[in-house]
Amino acid sequence: MTEPFTPLDRSGHARMVDVTEKQPTVRAATASGKVRCGPEVLAALRDDAVPKGDAFAVARIAGIQGAKRCAELLPLAHVIGVHGATVDLRLEDDGVRIEATVRTADRTGVEMEAFTAVSVTALALVDMVKGIDKAVEIDEIRLESKTGGKSGSWHRPEGGGDE
């Protein structure tokens, strides 16, 4: 009999869940987050005047790369094929909204890859603008939706709760 899908063995020790017997299915996950920043940073981003260069391009590529490197960062994450990854950045009144969607056809989901994409995008954006304003901060990183796999689809309810 196979072990249940849990990150703990019978002795309570951490282990990587064995997904060998699972069939690959199409899966997707979308996560979002925010880099909060002041008017000076927003103006530099809007006017493409960030001293280090194209902040959005660098952050977008960093986020995609982060999704592909997730298993190297998280010790119990599976190495999976990232078959699609998009990172979108949008200026808002108090910062930059980040949304990343990651897709695969594999044995396990891509929620952690989507979280990693948003996190690395945010870190890269902070790195690009920290010379303008040291007070920028990363906030509100969360899962928005996931599809595929045994547990099926989940979408964050309107209003942002997680019921």
Side-chain angles (χ1 to χ4, degrees), residues 39-120:
E40 189 177 3
V41 170
L42 290 171
L45 291 168
R46 188 178 313 106
D47 299 339
D48 197 22
V50 174
K52 285 187 167 184
D54 188 341
F56 280 5
V58 170
R60 187 176 295 111
I61 295 300
I64 292 168
Q65 187 67 25
K68 297 187 318 183
R69 307 287 294 263
C70 179
E72 294 176 34
L73 300 169
L74 303 176
L76 299 181
H78 292 88
V79 176
I80 63 170
V82 172
H83 299 123
T86 60
V87 175
D88 296 310
L89 297 104
R90 183 179 70 245
L91 286 173
E92 295 184 342
D93 291 341
D94 60 347
V96 179
R97 172 68 52 196
I98 302 164
E99 186 172 278
T101 299
V102 180
R103 293 181 46 83
T104 190
D106 220 314
R107 290 176 170 86
T108 188
V110 287
E111 293 91 348
M112 297 315 299
E113 287 74 9
F115 274 120
T116 303
V118 169
S119 299
V120 173

